[in-house]
């Protein structure tokens, strides 16, 4: 009987931790280097933020392709700087750089 009580207590603790995490969202680090997004594919959860760091000496953008699930968005990432994008909808979105259209990436947003 006491074992059951301890186990249910652990389950309650785990659920609480999950709820706090979902509320805050995580910051997921990504890089831009030598005209490429690294990693090119990013898997995150709803509410998480992607933070790109641009290591190049030219500015880049992360621009959602038209028709993206998450709607149109366009993030400017100046040379040597960071920029953020927060996932507010579940789904996959392909993005590219407006200045260098060969740069392509993909973000998969899952429900929490
Ligand atoms: Cu670029």
């Amino acid at each position: 009987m006491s074992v059951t009580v301890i186990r249910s207590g652990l389950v309650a603790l785990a659920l609480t931790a999950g709820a706090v995490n979902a509320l805050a969202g995580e910051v997921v680090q990504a890089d831009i280097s030598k005209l490429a997004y690294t990693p090119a594919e990013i898997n995150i959860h709803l509410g998480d933020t992607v933070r790109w760091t641009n290591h190049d000496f030219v500015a880049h953008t992360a621009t959602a392709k038209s028709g993206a699930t998450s709607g149109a968005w366009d993030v400017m990432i100046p040379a040597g700087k960071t920029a953020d994008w927060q996932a507010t909808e579940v789904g996959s979105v392909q993005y590219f750089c407006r200045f260098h259209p060969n740069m392509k990436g993909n973000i998969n947003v899952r429900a929490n």
Side-chain angles (χ1 to χ4, degrees):
M1 190 60 184
S2 61
V3 171
T4 304
V5 171
I6 290 168
R7 286 179 65 190
S8 61
L10 286 173
V11 169
L13 194 68
L15 287 173
T16 303
V20 169
N21 187 36
L23 195 70
E26 289 185 27
V27 176
V28 178
Q29 303 286 343
D31 292 302
I32 301 174
S33 181
K34 296 174 183 169
L35 303 178
Y37 303 110
T38 308
E41 181 148 12
I42 300 171
N43 297 307
I44 59 173
H45 292 94
L46 192 63
D48 287 353
T49 296
V50 177
R51 177 166 295 159
W52 288 279
T53 298
N54 182 358
H55 300 279
D56 287 340
F57 294 101
V58 295
H60 296 295
T61 73
T63 304
K65 279 178 100 170
S66 59
T69 311
S70 300
W73 47 267
D74 181 54
V75 178
M76 175 66 74
I77 312 155
K81 304 280 188 184
T82 64
D84 294 350
W85 174 80
Q86 186 175 30
T88 56
E89 285 183 61
V90 170
S92 291
V93 56
Q94 292 179 296
Y95 65 97
F96 65 100
C97 175
R98 281 191 285 113
F99 307 136
H100 315 99
N102 286 339
M103 293 175 62
K104 290 172 186 167
N106 194 58
I107 300 173
N108 303 309
V109 182
R110 284 175 286 184
N112 289 298

